Amino acid sequence: MKYNAFIGIDISKLTIDVAIRSRASKELAHQQFENSPKGYARMLAWVKRLTRCGETEFFFCVEHTGVYALPLACFLTGKGLDYRLENPYHLKHSMGLQRGKNDRVDAMMIARYAYLHHDELRLTTLPPGAIITLQHLLAHRERLVKTKRVYTVAPKELASFSSQESHAFIGHESQLIVSTIERGIKAVEGQIESLIQEHADLNKNFRLARSVKGVGLVIAAYILVYTHNFTAITDPRCFASYSGIAPFARSSGTSLAKAPRVSHLANKRMKALLSNGARSAIRNDPEIRAYFQRKCDEGKPEMLVANAVKNKLVGRIFATVKRGTPFVGLGKHFS
């Protein structure tokens, strides 16, 4: 499809800065609007008036700022407009040196980025509402877990630096808070399971993923979110790269030849969850435990072998979902 107007949008909590670049003119127009449905409607009317193009000729590129970008994405989806939610890190490192920075400059930079790269960009499709709700529930659970950690660790650290009386008081109050948080975590986990059970397509893949040893409720739910229920990411190697567990080589001519290493450009939350899953699999899965021990005995570093276990988990999850039947270990095939 040939686009004639490229609209870059920089989003903040209260406002959106919009810049337009067209094929007919390299000059950029800029305007600021409210970050609200009324502001979006005014923005669209302004774009139509300035470009005099049809809606099918618009290409919107929006900086992905999490929850602040979601209402605008819903608006663009509802209007049937083509848009791309782009990673801020990618935007920052794709446009060369930038000396100045403000919302107006950022919007113009995003419009220029859309003009230059629209042929390479894949349009964004919002996940189903259940996936968005699941993401919000998982985010709430993560906040509870972080808060629980604060009230669990702090009293122990104060033991050596406070009086016995004050430590007893702080420890007692902290335990009450921790108990309340633990009930909240159980409640939100119940909500997560209930939500998944209400949707047959989610529930099927969720149960298949959990059939792999080392994969629990949290890992399986996060994978559903990040892969949009195995529709946005269907290749285990792509998901391994996304999660930061795929090794990449670094070489140049004859002077640089380093061993393959994982990249720091990754979803750190998913990587941490897979690390937990790998530790669980090494403890509870005889095949994984034997593999881990064999590689360590061969002299491989434990961290390297653990990363290989993470990749095995991802491969098993995707293979199980693709096959449509629960995971069965190799040992059971010969028993």
Side-chain angles (χ1 to χ4, degrees):
M1 179 179 291
K2 184 178 180 181
Y3 300 106
N4 289 314
F6 305 91
I7 302 96
I9 303 179
D10 180 76
I11 297 182
S12 60
K13 182 177 180 179
L14 300 177
T15 60
I16 59 172
D17 283 77
V18 185
I20 305 173
R21 180 165 184 168
S22 67
R23 290 186 184 274
S25 173
K26 292 184 179 180
E27 294 184 5
L28 297 175
H30 167 265
Q31 186 68 42
Q32 188 178 84
F33 301 91
E34 293 179 6
N35 190 1
S36 68
K38 289 183 179 179
Y40 308 151
R42 295 191 185 103
M43 178 267 295
L44 185 57
W46 175 73
V47 171
K48 289 179 179 179
R49 186 173 67 254
L50 261 63
T51 61
R52 298 186 179 181
C53 296
E55 292 185 353
T56 58
E57 300 174 84
F58 296 155
F59 183 87
F60 291 84
C61 187
V62 184
E63 183 182 20
H64 198 335
T65 53
V67 293
Y68 295 153
L70 183 59
L72 177 57
C74 293
F75 174 84
L76 296 174
T77 299
K79 293 292 184 180
L81 298 168
D82 291 346
Y83 70 97
R84 165 77 176 185
L85 285 176
E86 190 57 274
N87 188 312
Y89 190 88
H90 192 181
L91 287 171
K92 178 181 178 181
H93 290 273
S94 64
M95 298 305 294
L97 295 174
Q98 299 288 324
R99 290 179 174 81
K101 175 173 175 57
N102 55 52
D103 293 341
R104 178 176 177 273
V105 169
D106 288 349
M108 291 183 170
M109 181 267 290
I110 296 170
R112 181 171 176 267
Y113 172 86
Y115 174 77
L116 294 174
H117 301 285
H118 66 277
D119 288 335
E120 307 164 7
L121 299 177
R122 187 173 64 178
L123 297 178
T124 295
T125 303
L126 279 184
I131 294 289
I132 295 176
T133 303
L134 180 59
Q135 185 174 8
H136 293 163
L137 289 172
L138 287 169
H140 177 59
R141 181 190 180 278
E142 185 176 359
R143 289 191 293 270
L144 290 174
V145 170
K146 287 182 178 179
T147 306
K148 176 188 172 183
R149 190 179 301 120
V150 170
Y151 284 98
T152 301
V153 174
K156 296 178 181 178
E157 293 181 339
L158 287 172
S160 303
F161 304 99
S162 62
S163 65
Q164 185 175 358
E165 182 180 351
S166 63
H167 177 257
F169 172 76
I170 293 172
H172 175 70
E173 292 297 314
S174 297
Q175 185 56 49
L176 293 177
I177 295 172
V178 168
S179 299
T180 302
I181 294 173
E182 286 176 344
R183 288 195 295 272
I185 292 173
K186 288 182 180 179
V188 74
E189 288 178 351
Q191 286 290 316
I192 289 170
E193 290 211 74
S194 297
L195 173 66
I196 291 173
Q197 289 173 1
E198 291 172 3
H199 298 81
D201 54 339
L202 288 179
N203 191 46
K204 177 184 176 183
N205 291 338
F206 179 73
R207 300 301 168 192
L208 290 172
R210 291 197 67 179
S211 69
V212 178
K213 287 188 178 180
V215 179
L217 179 147
V218 177
I219 294 177
Y222 267 107
I223 291 178
L224 289 181
V225 168
Y226 292 139
T227 64
H228 294 185
N229 195 19
F230 296 91
T231 59
I233 303 178
T234 58
D235 187 338
R237 290 172 295 182
C238 291
F239 189 75
S241 177
Y242 171 80
S243 304
I245 61 174
F248 291 90
R250 292 187 63 193
S251 63
S252 178
T254 57
S255 59
L256 178 63
K258 294 187 176 181
R261 299 183 64 178
V262 298
S263 172
H264 72 281
L265 299 176
N267 185 320
K268 303 296 177 59
R269 181 186 296 114
M270 194 67 241
K271 184 175 183 178
L273 290 171
L274 288 173
S275 297
N276 294 338
R279 285 192 289 270
S280 176
I282 291 169
R283 288 194 304 269
N284 302 305
D285 187 331
E287 294 175 23
I288 292 291
R289 185 167 59 248
Y291 168 82
F292 181 81
Q293 191 60 52
R294 184 175 72 254
K295 290 298 180 181
C296 289
D297 291 343
E298 292 173 1
K300 301 286 186 182
E302 285 194 13
M303 294 297 291
L304 182 67
V305 184
N307 192 69
V309 172
K310 298 174 200 176
N311 280 277
K312 279 184 174 291
L313 284 185
V314 170
R316 286 180 172 186
I317 293 167
F318 277 76
T320 299
V321 170
K322 183 178 180 180
R323 190 174 61 243
T325 56
F327 176 78
V328 178
L330 289 175
K332 294 186 178 180
H333 285 292
F334 303 101
S335 60

